[in-house]
Amino acid sequence: MILVAVLLAGLVRAFAFPTFWIPSSSMAPTLGVYDRIVVQKAFFTWRDVREGDIVVFSHPPLDHCPGPAGDLVKRVIALPGQTIYSSGNGIYVNGRRLAEPYLPHYDPLGPPVATRQHPYRVPPGEFYLLGDNRADSCDSRYWGPIRGSSITGKVVLVFWHDDHPDFRRF
């Protein structure tokens, strides 16, 4: 019975709700370096992704940024078909400023997204992703939008934050 329970728990962790750790500060302050997260893979489809979700996805093929290979974690900013641009430190989606209560007010944007005169339209089936630490994140500003099919799951829980247990749901 114990062997079956351990096997079942291992399968659930590997295929339904795997855990990941955050190797960089690109998602700070929401996710810090070495935070541990749980990702929903079971019953997940990229068609369920919403603006503001934090997702795990396969490393983009045109990534010119230094850093770890493998899966990455970023926040969904714009959905397929939406337009996006930046002005000052603000992000605008479909012409409206994006409310970002998860960011500190002093957080600089870093490289711009596009301009009001020439907004970027996210192609069908693709998503525009940014790290919460905009000044120190390699994201869609560098490698463009990512295909929905490369999104492997959605972050649902942080269970270790800043070197201590901390259970936060997303």
Side-chain angles (χ1 to χ4, degrees), residues 6-81:
V6 168
L7 182 62
L8 185 59
L11 289 172
V12 166
R13 183 173 180 229
F15 297 107
F17 293 96
T19 59
F20 291 86
W21 64 278
I22 306 301
S24 75
S25 64
S26 70
M27 284 299 293
T30 307
L31 300 172
V33 179
Y34 306 121
D35 281 3
R36 298 337 187 257
I37 58 174
V38 176
V39 175
Q40 176 191 356
K41 279 189 168 183
F43 311 110
F44 174 82
T45 174
W46 63 267
R47 289 175 177 84
D48 295 331
V49 172
R50 300 289 172 249
E51 191 176 284
D53 286 350
I54 299 174
V55 296
V56 173
F57 58 100
S58 304
H59 206 272
L62 299 177
D63 185 4
H64 304 290
C65 305
D71 292 335
L72 298 175
V73 177
K74 302 290 181 204
R75 187 178 300 272
V76 176
I77 299 299
L79 304 174

Side-chain angles (χ1 to χ4, degrees), residues 24 29-30 49 59 61 85 102 120 151 154:
S24 75
T30 307
V49 172
H59 206 272
Y85 67 89
Y102 43 84
Y120 178 78
I151 298 175
K154 176 180 162 183

